[in-house]
Amino acid sequence: MRPSFLPRLINGPFDDPGLYISFLFQKRALIFDLGDINGLPVKDLLKISHTFVTHTHMDHFIGFDHLLRVMLGRDKKLSFFGPQGFLKNVEGKLAGYTWNLADNYNYPLCLQITEVGPEFTRARSYRCRDRFEPLQDAVRKPFDGVLHEEPAFRISAVILDHKIPCLGLSIKEHFHVNIIKEGLKRLGLEPGPWLSQFKQHLYSQTDPASMFEVQMPQQKLKKQFKLGKLAEQIAQITPGQKITYIADVIYSESNIEKIVEFAADSDHLFIEAAFMEKDREIATEKYHLTARQAGQLAARTAARKFSIFHFSPRYIEQESFLYQEASEAYKSELATKQRKEESERSGYTFHNF
Ligand SMILES: [Zn+2]
Ligand SMILES: [Zn+2]
């Protein structure tokens, strides 16, 4: 399967956390956490449509100013999501600058800010042209775990404990469309940007009897197909991709339970590991995870792949120990889990006799 979302950590493990998720064959991206983002080229920042901030500790939020600066004067609507208190945090940032010339810009950059509480979300919009004064009172909606949904995917959040509310985040494709190369060949088609449009029609459940035009990239040739017939020939549907991002949490019963459920079955889990197990007490005091705890959580969620990040600077030049600790914990937890499942299975067979 060729993944639709391409996630990458923005910085090294000792620098500010943040995950940049670009979309295959689309000039579009999302970002989880807004720490130091100076390492991202402007062309990548401009692809961002939605930004999700786990919590507003400085190392997760200082990049807001940089992103805003890059976006200023552009015809864009940019959505931000964050935990309780986020509207006040963003308004505080916006109030830190003088916007008397902002109405000179030709294009109305618009910020849509949503804060997420346990039961409700509250959203407000701010336009550059209006000097970022809020356009209306906050709009309240019930929060059911989903922050944003499109035909192809949804972004969900869970509220975790970091001594303050902190959002765990995930992006999940509703289903995955695999393109069958032989099918393309049989029909004399070449891959190109038309494939993204084709997939969008499948996600949007467009009528299979409607006509779809394939614009070949190399030649100026156009071919017409019935959407359903084309899908039968070139598309295979498999479960959608899931990426989960967990930053800054304490290893408590309640967090463990929520993370195991929320991150279940992720293709790739990104999870903080600020400390080593030998410094577990400090980790608990600071409401962070150890590498061992991160590895165990990754195994318990059955993540197919996991990456740790957000290391404390006390381990500079010792990062290999953190990776090793997490990977050993993952393997051993996975082996325990499998043994348990096997014994449960054999017990079940026995009772069936
Ligand atoms: Zn924090
Ligand atoms: Zn942090």
Side-chain angles (χ1 to χ4, degrees):
M1 134 170 158
R2 192 157 185 199
S4 304
F5 311 128
L6 310 165
R8 68 176 201 263
L9 287 164
I10 297 164
N11 298 311
F14 292 102
D15 302 317
D16 287 357
L19 189 70
Y20 183 86
I21 305 174
S22 53
F23 289 27
L24 186 73
F25 297 135
Q26 290 182 51
K27 289 194 177 87
R28 183 171 175 204
L30 308 173
I31 194 166
F32 288 173
D33 266 343
L34 266 182
D36 179 359
I37 52 168
N38 287 296
L40 285 174
V42 169
K43 72 169 173 41
D44 286 348
L45 291 175
L46 289 174
K47 290 180 191 163
I48 295 171
S49 61
H50 294 74
T51 298
F52 302 83
V53 176
T54 58
H55 63 298
T56 50
H57 281 160
M58 220 172 177
D59 51 332
H60 299 253
F61 195 39
I62 199 166
F64 177 90
D65 294 35
H66 183 63
L67 185 63
L68 179 60
R69 186 165 190 199
V70 167
M71 296 290 182
L72 266 184
R74 296 186 189 266
D75 186 11
K76 273 197 99 102
K77 188 177 151 202
L78 200 57
S79 299
F80 292 81
F81 296 80
Q84 222 156 26
F86 193 57
L87 288 175
K88 209 169 116 241
N89 289 137
V90 170
E91 282 171 9
K93 285 222 179 231
L94 294 169
Y97 296 99
T98 308
W99 302 107
N100 66 313
L101 299 177
D103 45 6
N104 287 347
Y105 290 116
N106 288 331
Y107 299 112
L109 171 68
C110 180
L111 309 180
Q112 167 96 35
I113 315 292
T114 305
E115 69 174 35
V116 183
E119 281 164 31
F120 291 94
T121 60
R122 292 171 68 233
R124 278 184 117 170
S125 296
Y126 308 78
R127 279 195 315 192
C128 169
R129 220 174 242 177
D130 303 316
R131 303 177 185 191
F132 293 115
E133 294 291 335
L135 290 182
Q136 85 287 45
D137 286 342
V139 178
R140 226 164 81 123
K141 279 190 188 159
F143 173 55
D144 60 358
V146 177
L147 295 184
H148 175 73
E149 183 149 27
E150 295 186 19
F153 66 89
R154 84 161 63 98
I155 312 263
S156 305
V158 63
I159 301 173
L160 301 168
D161 180 16
H162 176 46
K163 210 171 184 176
I164 48 168
C166 178
L167 302 182
L169 298 164
S170 86
I171 178 167
K172 168 93 171 82
E173 216 179 4
H174 294 316
F175 53 85
H176 190 74
V177 183
N178 301 275
I179 299 299
I180 307 163
K181 278 191 190 145
E182 292 71 37
L184 286 180
K185 227 185 249 172
R186 258 199 311 275
L187 297 174
L189 301 175
E190 293 162 23
W194 66 270
L195 279 173
S196 296
Q197 293 155 21
F198 167 71
K199 287 180 183 177
Q200 284 307 318
H201 281 294
L202 298 191
Y203 289 127
S204 309
Q205 300 180 338
T206 306
D207 181 3
S210 59
M211 295 308 286
F212 177 77
E213 193 174 77
V214 176
Q215 170 84 56
M216 304 276 260
Q218 301 304 335
Q219 311 140 25
K220 288 208 168 83
L221 209 65
K222 284 179 186 170
K223 287 186 177 180
Q224 296 254 352
F225 294 91
K226 263 203 180 132
L227 186 67
K229 289 273 170 236
L230 182 61
E232 275 170 25
Q233 300 270 342
I234 68 163
Q236 188 199 14
I237 306 297
T238 52
Q241 188 187 359
K242 178 173 177 182
I243 295 162
T244 306
Y245 177 84
I246 304 290
D248 294 21
V249 285
I250 188 171
Y251 197 69
S252 65
E253 282 305 320
S254 146
N255 272 349
I256 295 167
E257 201 178 304
K258 285 183 188 174
I259 293 167
V260 168
E261 191 190 336
F262 180 76
D265 215 22
S266 297
D267 293 286
H268 199 156
L269 170 67
F270 292 85
I271 185 160
E272 69 117 330
F275 294 94
M276 289 192 69
E277 188 63 17
K278 66 182 168 73
D279 297 318
R280 186 184 180 137
E281 273 176 30
I282 307 170
T284 308
E285 224 168 80
K286 294 186 182 275
Y287 278 67
H288 274 285
L289 296 178
T290 67
R292 181 156 184 262
Q293 293 164 345
Q296 282 174 338
L297 279 168
R300 289 186 60 185
T301 63
R304 278 176 276 289
K305 186 177 173 188
F306 80 104
S307 303
I308 53 170
F309 61 97
H310 208 358
F311 301 168
S312 158
R314 71 181 59 213
Y315 307 114
I316 282 180
E317 290 180 13
Q318 299 170 47
E319 60 263 43
S320 60
F321 294 121
L322 284 129
Y323 291 121
Q324 195 183 340
E325 184 174 290
S327 142
E328 281 171 9
Y330 177 78
K331 282 182 202 150
S332 109
E333 184 74 25
L334 215 56
T336 313
K337 206 174 146 198
Q338 273 161 1
R339 267 200 306 276
K340 210 174 139 205
E341 279 167 8
E342 267 163 34
S343 77
E344 273 169 13
R345 253 203 309 276
S346 60
Y348 179 73
T349 315
F350 176 76
H351 286 302
N352 268 352
F353 269 90

